[in-house]
Every structure is written in structure tokens, then in C-alpha cells.
């Protein structure tokens, strides 16, 4: 009986020692794997940073290449005209510089904006459309009252700068307004692509005022 007990104890001790050895080996292997995992994580971080750097360098190279291959922007200069109220001769009031490759309507809009600012006291001048009339490009320009005068029917109640009382009245005043508008929009001295003619509306309707009645007709270069 004692011998059996001794044998069993020896077996148990042997199993315990074996298990302890296995556990120790597993701990060692687990520690080694943890170290390898940490190294892999670090390498992954470094590789990610390298990839980001490469992407950034690639983008910079693309931008440099585009700047080298892109054609230089070509600009044109157009004139905004005022008119001398004594001689009725046109006079340069301002210059407008713009990209030559802009759509024609955008060019006209830039001219309209500068004309409004420099000659017509910031009264709204809107480029409505460019249409083909008998194989000629004709622009329609809408002259609008300022926001504070929108809807005013009585001319005596118009405030500040306005088209009816300030710009359409009197033979000289009307002539100055008409010539400044037509000369500026027709740009007769410009040799590049441009409109062939222009007509003007007042508040989206044909102009029917005595001293500027010609503005409702198409005026050609």
C-alpha cells in the first residue's frame, strides 16, 4: 500500500514538474511573441508614416509638374468710358483687366460692374444674355434701379442716384448716358472675340424714355 502511495506521489510530482515546465515554456514563448508583436506594431507605425510622406511628396511633385506644364494665363485690358458733357466725346474712365479665356458673358459682366462703379454711381447693370441675331452676337443689358428705389412709381420720390431722373433726363444727360453705355459695351477698339451688337432694357422692359429711346434698339459695332 505504501509503495502504491509512493508511486502515485511520484507520478503526481512528475506531472506537476512537467506542467510547471510547460507553463514556464509557454510564458517564455508568450513573452517572445509579445516582443515580436510590439516590434511589428512599431514597424507598422513607421511604414504608415513613410507612406504618408511618400503621398505628400507625390502631391508636391504633381503640383510642380502642373505648374510647369500649365500655360501661362493670358490677360486682356478693356476700357470703361465716360462722356464729356460739353463735347460729347468719350473719355476713358477706368481699365478692366481680365483673363482672356473667360466666357464672353463673364467678360461683359466685369465690364458692367466697373462701369456701374466708375460712371453710374453703382446703379445695377445686369448682363442678361448673349443671343445670335442674324448670325451676329447681340448682348441684352438690363438697367435696374437701386434696391431703395425698387417699386417706386412716382419719379419725384426716387432717392439718390437713379436712372430715370439722374441719367435719362435732358438731351445732354441722355446723350451722355447712351454713349457711355454703348461705347463701353461695344469696345470698338478691341480686336479679340467680342459681341457684334448691344441693346438695353430698363427694369426688364424695352427703354421708352425720350432722350435715350435709341437704347432699346440693337446698336452694332
Amino acid at each position: 500500500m505504501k509503495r502504491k502511495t509512493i508511486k502515485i506521489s511520484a507520478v503526481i510530482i512528475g506531472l506537476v514538474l512537467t506542467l510547471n515546465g510547460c507553463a514556464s515554456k509557454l510564458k517564455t514563448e508568450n513573452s517572445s511573441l509579445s516582443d515580436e508583436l510590439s516590434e511589428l506594431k512599431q514597424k507598422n507605425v513607421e511604414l504608415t508614416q513613410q507612406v504618408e510622406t511618400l503621398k505628400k511628396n507625390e502631391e508636391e511633385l504633381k503640383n510642380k509638374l502642373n505648374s510647369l506644364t500649365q500655360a501661362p494665363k493670358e490677360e486682356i485690358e478693356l476700357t470703361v468710358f465716360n462722356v464729356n458733357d460739353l463735347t460729347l466725346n468719350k473719355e476713358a474712365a477706368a481699365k478692366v483687366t481680365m483673363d482672356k479665356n473667360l466666357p464672353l458673358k463673364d467678360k461683359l459682366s466685369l465690364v458692367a460692374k466697373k462701369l456701374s462703379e466708375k460712371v453710374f454711381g453703382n446703379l445695377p447693370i445686369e448682363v442678361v444674355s448673349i443671343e445670335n441675331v442674324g448670325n451676329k452676337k447681340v448682348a441684352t443689358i438690363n438697367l435696374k434701379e437701386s434696391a431703395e428705389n425698387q417699386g417706386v412709381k412716382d419719379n419725384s420720390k426716387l432717392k439718390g442716384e437713379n436712372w430715370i431722373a439722374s441719367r435719362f433726363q435732358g438731351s445732354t444727360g441722355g446723350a451722355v448716358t447712351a454713349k457711355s453705355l454703348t461705347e463701353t459695351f461695344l469696345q470698338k477698339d478691341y480686336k479679340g472675340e467680342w459681341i457684334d451688337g448691344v441693346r438695353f432694357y430698363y427694369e426688364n422692359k424695352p427703354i421708352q424714355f425720350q432722350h435715350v429711346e435709341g437704347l432699346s434698339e440693337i446698336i452694332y459695332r
Side-chain angles (χ1 to χ4, degrees), residues 83-124:
V83 174
N84 187 300
D85 57 3
L86 296 177
T87 65
L88 295 184
N89 292 327
K90 67 179 182 181
E91 301 173 346
K95 296 290 185 180
V96 190
T97 302
M98 65 188 73
D99 186 348
K100 183 180 179 180
N101 296 315
L102 280 176
L104 186 52
K105 188 177 179 181
D106 290 348
K107 292 176 182 176
L108 285 168
S109 295
L110 289 173
V111 168
K113 184 175 184 295
K114 185 67 70 172
L115 179 63
S116 170
E117 293 172 355
K118 297 298 183 180
V119 178
F120 291 111
N122 289 309
L123 286 171

